[in-house]
Amino acid sequence: MNEVLDVIAKRYSCRGFGSRPVSRADLETITKAGVQAPSSRGNAPWYLAVVTHRGLIDEIRDSAFAVIKRRDLEGHQRILDRGGDLFYNAQALIVVATKPTHDLTPAEFDAGLLTENICLAAHSIGLGTCICGFATHAFHVFASPDGERFSRRLEIPYGYQMTVGILVGHPVQTKEPHPADTSVIRFFE
Ligand SMILES: Cc1cc2nc3c(=O)[nH]c(=O)nc-3n(C[C@H](O)[C@H](O)[C@H](O)COP(=O)(O)O)c2cc1C
């Protein structure tokens, strides 16, 4: 198996990070891999805020958790079932924001490609990642009292929306990736 296929096969969602910080150089490497992703018409409709400020990461986590507790009973239960932690002690949070496009495919599609590039690049250099949809709750302008403040603090450009979070750190807990269900693939020859 070549290196790319090996990294794709072995990446997994890490839900336990150590307290060792992630270096600025590593964060630059993986976010650069992110923006090397393709996007519809080459629009690159994204903005990344790379947060390593401990206090700010914790504030975003707590705000997201408060919204989930109030508004997403099923999500709240899922978090409790996983031990009650939302960010798993991640040392960096990459906030991916997108500018809505009127293209055939939404900007979130492009953001997904960027996100997977970051996760694969991180895995290839020994870092763990977990894509975190729950983090978006913290930025919700109506549901979260802190939504506007977080967007300003992270300088999310006007008109862009927080789309997904990526948790990054040095793994202290590993797991097997999900089994690939190839039964959904059909060949027409
Ligand atoms: C858009 C998206 C949002 C996700 N949000 C969360 C999340 O908030 N918390 C979490 O622990 N995992 C989250 N995940 C991780 C998935 O649960 C995980 O990718 C899936 O169970 C497959 O497991 P694997 O990544 O280890 O192969 C998210 C994944 C995606 C693609």
Side-chain angles (χ1 to χ4, degrees):
M1 208 190 271
N2 73 40
E3 276 177 53
V4 174
L5 293 177
D6 192 50
V7 169
I8 290 172
K10 290 189 178 146
R11 181 219 54 86
Y12 63 94
S13 295
C14 178
R15 298 199 174 92
F17 299 99
S19 48
R20 181 151 63 101
V22 181
S23 72
R24 169 75 182 246
D26 281 354
L27 289 168
E28 284 175 3
T29 298
I30 65 175
T31 46
K32 182 173 178 194
V35 296
Q36 282 172 328
S39 63
S40 178
R41 300 189 199 197
N43 274 337
W46 46 54
Y47 169 83
L48 303 184
V50 184
V51 188
T52 52
H53 186 290
R54 182 74 265 156
L56 185 53
I57 293 175
D58 290 348
E59 271 189 66
I60 294 170
R61 179 201 58 203
D62 292 347
S63 280
F65 192 79
V67 174
I68 295 161
K69 201 171 165 190
R70 265 201 332 272
R71 299 196 144 209
D72 179 1
L73 294 184
E74 191 236 304
H76 184 236
Q77 191 53 52
R78 197 140 37 94
I79 293 162
L80 294 182
D81 292 344
R82 283 182 184 145
D85 198 356
L86 202 60
F87 283 1
Y88 318 113
N89 196 39
Q91 297 300 309
L93 167 68
I94 302 173
V95 170
V96 179
T98 53
K99 180 173 63 175
T101 56
H102 302 286
D103 217 334
L104 274 178
T105 49
E108 290 86 346
F109 184 93
D110 299 323
L113 303 177
L114 168 141
T115 298
E116 179 66 344
N117 264 19
I118 290 179
C119 294
L120 293 175
H123 187 85
S124 78
I125 59 171
L127 293 170
T129 56
C130 187
I131 301 168
C132 188
F134 279 137
T136 56
H137 287 292
F139 292 77
H140 198 285
V141 280
F142 301 118
S144 167
D146 303 305
E148 189 71 38
R149 181 169 65 86
F150 290 143
S151 295
R152 280 182 202 278
R153 176 82 198 274
L154 299 184
E155 299 174 13
I156 294 178
Y158 180 75
Y160 283 61
Q161 283 171 3
M162 186 333 180
T163 301
V164 78
I166 308 170
L167 307 171
V168 188
H170 294 276
V172 290
Q173 203 176 301
T174 60
K175 76 167 192 65
E176 291 300 311
H178 67 275
D181 174 10
T182 54
S183 71
V184 297
I185 306 166
R186 293 280 192 282
F187 293 89
F188 301 89
E189 292 167 331

